[in-house]
Amino acid sequence: AAAFMGIFKNDPAYADMKVVCVGGMYPESNEALQEEYGVEILNTPEEMIGKVDAAMITCRDGKYHAGYAKKFIEAGIPVFVDKPFTVDGQEARELIELAKEKNVPLVGGSAVKSAYDIVMLKTKVEEENAQVKGGSMVAPLSMHNEYSGFYFYSSHLAEMCLNTFGYNPKAVTAIECNDNVTAMVEYDGFTVSLLFSEGAYQ
């Protein structure tokens, strides 16, 4: 939340936007943001509805994301959900279906998928005469943490792969060894290997 607040305050591209409130399960963080940015603390979506035009859900633990996001979507408020989008596939699908039903914009996940290098790779893969033979990507992982373990960091690499090579792989096979996870993502005509590397973020 602090990183996003800094962007909204300091980037001229967002000069017409204002963060009016923060809330949720991290009181110390909320109080620090209130002190630095002068925002109001409102702890529930219900308190915020009617005071905001859009919402950002940034719990460090993705298991809470859907619960918060649903309240805003049901009220017709556009939502950005930070990574991980959720920690449950069915819950993610239900959130997407609700947004479609209510015709409410819903975006989010890992911002790494929009990094310059990933966008350039995606462009190369999509070129008319592209002959993709395969791919390999590596990114850090944290298997042991208080934020739903594997899900806390894994969405970065998963979304990098999907944005680069496509969102409709035929199959995915994964194995875990010594807290590192290797996944083989099978597409039509080629396979991409992903290594989720424990501890590499340190």
Side-chain angles (χ1 to χ4, degrees):
F4 288 121
M5 294 275 278
I7 292 171
F8 285 121
K9 179 179 179 181
N10 300 314
D11 190 330
Y14 302 101
D16 61 341
M17 298 182 186
K18 180 182 179 182
V19 179
V20 296
C21 59
V22 295
M25 60 190 65
Y26 307 110
E28 291 182 4
S29 174
N30 294 338
E31 289 166 9
L33 291 172
Q34 182 184 48
E35 183 175 341
E36 183 170 356
Y37 296 102
V39 294
E40 186 178 5
I41 296 176
L42 300 173
N43 285 312
T44 67
E46 289 84 357
E47 293 176 81
M48 297 179 185
I49 291 168
K51 297 186 176 184
V52 299
D53 299 313
M56 299 181 75
I57 314 298
T58 62
C59 303
R60 288 181 68 78
D61 193 335
K63 71 184 179 187
Y64 300 114
H65 282 169
Y68 282 110
K70 285 178 182 175
K71 301 288 180 63
F72 290 108
I73 293 171
E74 286 169 347
I77 296 172
V79 176
F80 170 90
V81 182
D82 195 20
K83 68 86 189 163
F85 190 71
T86 70
V87 300
D88 179 274
Q90 182 58 35
E91 193 172 62
R93 286 187 285 271
E94 290 173 359
L95 200 60
I96 292 167
E97 288 304 313
L98 178 62
K100 288 180 179 178
E101 176 189 331
K102 299 291 185 179
N103 195 30
V104 173
L106 171 66
V107 298
S110 168
V112 178
K113 64 177 175 284
S114 300
Y116 177 82
D117 290 343
I118 298 302
V119 173
M120 290 300 98
L121 281 172
K122 174 184 174 70
T123 300
K124 288 291 185 183
V125 169
E126 292 178 343
E127 285 181 354
E128 184 176 350
N129 297 318
Q131 296 182 358
V132 180
K133 303 296 185 182
S136 179
M137 292 180 156
V138 180
L141 175 69
S142 172
M143 287 290 280
H144 305 287
N145 57 71
E146 58 185 309
Y147 309 116
S148 294
F150 175 78
Y151 293 97
F152 182 47
Y153 263 74
S154 59
S155 59
H156 289 312
L157 183 53
E159 292 192 52
M160 286 165 55
C161 173
L162 294 171
N163 196 38
T164 301
F165 297 101
Y167 283 83
N168 294 294
K170 294 167 56 180
V172 177
T173 304
I175 58 170
E176 182 268 328
C177 181
N178 293 329
D179 287 340
N180 294 293
V181 176
T182 300
M184 305 303 292
V185 185
E186 183 182 350
Y187 289 91
D188 284 324
F190 64 91
T191 300
V192 178
S193 66
L194 305 180
L195 174 59
F196 299 83
S197 182
E198 166 67 28
Y201 58 91
Q202 296 177 339

